[in-house]
Amino acid sequence: MSTPISDEAPVPTPPAPAAVAYIAALDVGTTCVRCFVLDEKCLVKGSAVDEVELLNPQPGFFEIEPECLWRKIVNVITLAIRGKYAKLTPAQITCLTISTQRCTFLTWNHETEEYYHNFITWKDLRAHELVDQWNSSWTKRSMNSVSFALYLVTRQPRFLAGSVLKLMNGQALHENKARVELLDSWILHKLRSGNGKNTNVEHITDVTSSTATGLYDPFTLSWSPFISWLFGFDTKILPRVVDNGYKDFGHVHPAAFGPGWDNTSIPIAASLSDQAASMWGSQCFKKNDVKVTMGTGAFLNLNTGSKCRAATSGMYPLVAWQMKNNSKSQGGVYCIEGAAHDFGTVVTWAQSCELFKKPDETALIAKSVPDTNGVFFMPAFSGLGPPVNDYRSASGFIGLTPSTTKAHMVRALLESIVFRLVQLIDATEKETSQKLKVIRVNGGVSRNDFVCQFLADLSGLKVERDENTESSIMGATFMAGINHGIWKNFEDLKCFRKVERVFEPRLNVYEKVIERMDKWCGAIDRFSEWY
């Protein structure tokens, strides 16, 4: 019997639903360790946060015990993936991405896992005396002079940068008997080796972490031979520098997280420093885009495009990111950076002194008075960075009178950190010979309306505040998504950045606020060279 022929078109079998891409973004900062799991729409599916235990064994010493930090890293990744919100398995994670604080290092024997000391963080001040000795040494001054002479002959900017080189805390590395790890290279080793199960994994660091140390020359893209000669250690103890689109970051070893973790190797799609991640999070992809991260410290980064620019005011030329192995990206991109290391720390200190109960109260407190009643504050717990460059400066109030109230003091605190930002903006404009138009701000302190509006008024620039405060997490996620093929290019990322508010400069108050800044600048000499 023949099969009847139907005149109806056959019903096609529906395709299986595409698997959702999930990116686990790890961010290891100064105050906390965080992991967020996001899908391809950049919606947060799960997250976990733990505090970093910052050790302070002596005044000016800031350390992190490595194995304690590792346990926290394992904990936040596990909770973010398997917790009550995401409820995912490791096999469902498409890739992992890493963002880390910079200039934090340790020395160890990676084969025996013997640590010669704790992590020395970027906040640590113990090398200041050594730094001062080197900065005033005949050797360093000679190197500066030779560099400037070479610049006059060649006009190559790398020699101009060398002519004003000053040594900072993160550059005092002397140990040459062990492997030196930056924070990112140590985390990569622990993840890829299965927490020491395989000691033969490649010793690598990403270019944005290495360039911030001052040991890596952004002009030649190599560990500086000048620094190696000056300090007398072999650069072989340092990790090999790779770009942010490195194809051999490999996978997370299944044993990295210990018992109870299934036999899944998660691809590592990106590794980059916190400020590079923040630039990506604010989508500063074009030349002259600028962002300010307002966290523990404040960091201004201006995208200078495909050429590395020398800076002479204390600003630093850095590699913003490099993705030369990724044909869909721009390749090498540079930036100049300026930092005010006491930003969020000033707010935290003032809270500990009971000037207010919660940081989110400070905007209303500051607005409750028309000015500071002649009171100024110098935010210099870590000295004053560029363009002042006085690392012996003291912090303190000046101009207190019997009529001074807590509100005046709180306003003076908030104004002072904005004064430091405007100094960085002015230095950036002088270095680049251009007038900025818009500043993109992110970080916890950026939620303070008074700070953002005062910044707009004083700088004369529009201040854009992103809706999402997690700029480092978002930036690391964006880069991993590009590297792993979840998104094709920068255009695909535009829909994920939403501006929550724009603060317009009020021209009618400019003369008053610039007069206050001029008086504050005059107070700098009162606190200068105190220590």
Side-chain angles (χ1 to χ4, degrees):
M1 185 175 180
S2 62
T3 303
I5 299 175
S6 172
D7 59 355
E8 295 181 7
V11 178
T13 302
V20 177
Y22 293 108
I23 299 174
L26 173 69
D27 178 56
V28 183
T30 308
T31 58
C32 65
V33 182
R34 306 175 299 165
C35 185
F36 282 59
V37 176
L38 302 96
D39 63 17
E40 68 264 34
K41 296 180 180 179
C42 283
L43 298 176
V44 177
K45 313 307 290 186
S47 65
V49 181
D50 202 350
E51 289 186 5
V52 171
E53 293 183 21
L54 201 59
L55 306 177
N56 187 214
Q58 295 181 37
F61 286 36
F62 295 96
E63 304 178 355
I64 301 173
E65 199 281 313
E67 287 304 313
C68 177
L69 179 62
W70 176 247
R71 289 191 293 271
K72 291 177 180 291
I73 290 172
V74 171
N75 183 51
V76 296
I77 293 176
T78 302
L79 289 177
I81 294 173
R82 289 181 157 173
K84 61 180 180 180
Y85 296 108
K87 296 180 180 178
L88 298 172
T89 66
Q92 291 176 279
I93 302 301
T94 307
C95 60
L96 175 77
T97 182
I98 304 166
S99 165
T100 62
Q101 58 176 286
R102 307 168 304 172
C103 298
T104 292
F105 73 96
L106 61 74
T107 54
W108 72 328
N109 184 322
H110 71 287
E111 294 182 351
T112 64
E113 294 197 337
E114 177 187 0
Y115 294 101
Y116 297 110
H117 55 83
N118 289 331
F119 272 109
I120 308 299
T121 76
W122 63 274
K123 289 173 64 67
D124 198 273
L125 302 178
R126 74 188 70 183
H128 269 186
E129 183 177 350
L130 176 63
V131 167
D132 287 343
Q133 290 175 7
W134 277 109
N135 281 334
S136 61
S137 69
W138 179 89
T139 304
K140 203 278 298 182
R141 291 200 305 269
S142 298
M143 189 174 73
N144 288 162
S145 300
V146 170
S147 294
F148 187 67
L150 288 171
Y151 167 71
L152 293 177
V153 174
T154 67
R155 292 296 168 179
Q156 292 186 22
R158 63 181 291 249
F159 293 123
L160 179 58
S163 72
V164 294
L165 172 68
K166 285 191 175 183
L167 306 176
M168 303 303 171
N169 277 349
Q171 299 169 344
L173 298 177
H174 287 283
E175 177 63 63
N176 59 7
K177 296 180 180 179
R179 198 158 94 170
V180 174
E181 299 283 10
L182 303 180
L183 182 56
D184 73 303
S185 67
W186 177 78
I187 292 173
L188 286 170
H189 173 85
K190 299 281 274 187
L191 290 173
R192 299 167 79 211
S193 70
N195 194 19
K197 302 297 182 185
N198 176 13
T199 59
N200 295 320
V201 297
E202 193 177 16
H203 187 205
I204 56 175
T205 181
D206 85 85
V207 66
T208 64
S209 292
S210 62
T211 189
T213 65
L215 298 172
Y216 187 81
D217 187 341
F219 295 96
T220 62
L221 296 177
S222 62
W223 292 114
S224 173
F226 276 128
I227 299 297
S228 178
W229 166 70
L230 195 61
F231 288 105
F233 66 84
D234 191 338
T235 55
K236 290 180 181 179
I237 67 174
L238 296 167
R240 187 170 75 87
V241 179
V242 300
D243 64 88
N244 302 107
Y246 189 52
K247 297 303 181 183
D248 295 320
F249 276 128
H251 295 71
V252 178
H253 193 288
F257 301 124
W261 194 268
D262 62 27
N263 193 31
T264 301
S265 296
I266 302 173
I268 301 174
S271 176
L272 69 168
S273 70
D274 52 3
Q275 297 313 313
S278 183
M279 289 184 73
W280 271 66
S282 295
Q283 298 196 11
C284 293
F285 298 137
K286 295 180 181 178
K287 185 179 179 180
N288 299 329
D289 284 348
V290 61
K291 68 84 183 167
V292 173
T293 298
M294 302 179 181
T296 303
F299 294 88
L300 182 150
N301 294 83
L302 171 73
N303 185 328
T304 59
S306 59
K307 292 185 178 180
C308 190
R309 297 181 65 110
T312 58
S313 62
M315 309 285 280
Y316 288 98
L318 301 173
V319 179
W321 64 84
Q322 188 180 50
M323 300 168 71
K324 62 185 179 183
N325 288 342
N326 190 333
S327 60
K328 300 175 184 178
S329 71
Q330 300 179 352
V333 176
Y334 295 86
C335 69
I336 60 172
E337 177 178 287
H341 290 301
D342 292 306
F343 209 80
T345 51
V346 170
V347 178
T348 302
W349 170 80
Q351 183 181 12
S352 70
C353 293
E354 300 184 353
L355 288 181
F356 49 84
K357 292 182 179 179
K358 296 180 181 179
D360 55 12
E361 299 173 350
T362 56
L364 289 176
I365 295 172
K367 292 176 183 177
S368 70
V369 290
D371 53 44
T372 65
N373 194 29
V375 175
F376 296 96
F377 181 75
M378 196 58 56
F381 294 123
S382 301
L384 293 174
V388 180
N389 299 313
D390 178 6
Y391 294 93
R392 295 182 180 275
S393 180
S395 294
F397 286 99
I398 192 169
L400 297 173
T401 66
S403 61
T404 300
T405 66
K406 282 188 177 182
H408 293 132
M409 297 173 73
V410 169
R411 182 168 181 132
L413 285 164
L414 297 186
E415 286 191 0
S416 74
I417 60 178
V418 175
F419 293 152
R420 284 289 295 124
L421 272 184
V422 173
Q423 284 186 324
L424 294 178
I425 292 168
D426 289 345
T428 300
E429 291 181 336
K430 289 177 183 177
E431 293 282 8
T432 58
S433 301
Q434 66 175 355
K435 178 65 178 176
L436 303 179
K437 296 179 180 180
V438 179
I439 296 177
R440 302 173 186 180
V441 298
N442 57 65
V445 184
S446 71
R447 312 322 290 178
N448 189 301
D449 289 351
F450 177 84
V451 168
C452 291
Q453 186 60 60
F454 195 69
L455 176 60
D457 293 339
L458 191 57
S459 66
L461 306 175
K462 289 184 178 180
V463 174
E464 291 184 352
R465 183 168 68 193
D466 287 356
E467 186 177 281
N468 193 322
T469 61
E470 303 292 350
S471 60
S472 294
I473 288 287
M474 296 305 299
T477 300
F478 292 158
M479 181 176 282
I482 293 286
N483 285 344
H484 206 72
I486 296 172
W487 303 296
K488 294 180 181 179
N489 49 46
F490 295 153
E491 289 296 316
D492 288 350
L493 302 177
K494 283 185 176 180
C495 62
F496 301 128
R497 180 178 179 251
K498 295 179 175 60
V499 177
E500 181 259 337
R501 182 173 172 182
V502 177
F503 295 84
E504 299 277 356
R506 298 174 298 181
L507 300 181
N508 61 317
V509 303
Y510 177 75
E511 289 187 5
K512 291 183 179 179
V513 295
I514 196 64
E515 182 182 357
R516 289 214 293 276
M517 182 168 177
D518 288 342
K519 290 182 178 179
W520 176 84
C521 289
I524 290 176
D525 290 340
R526 301 290 186 95
F527 294 90
S528 179
E529 296 288 336
W530 183 263
Y531 296 110

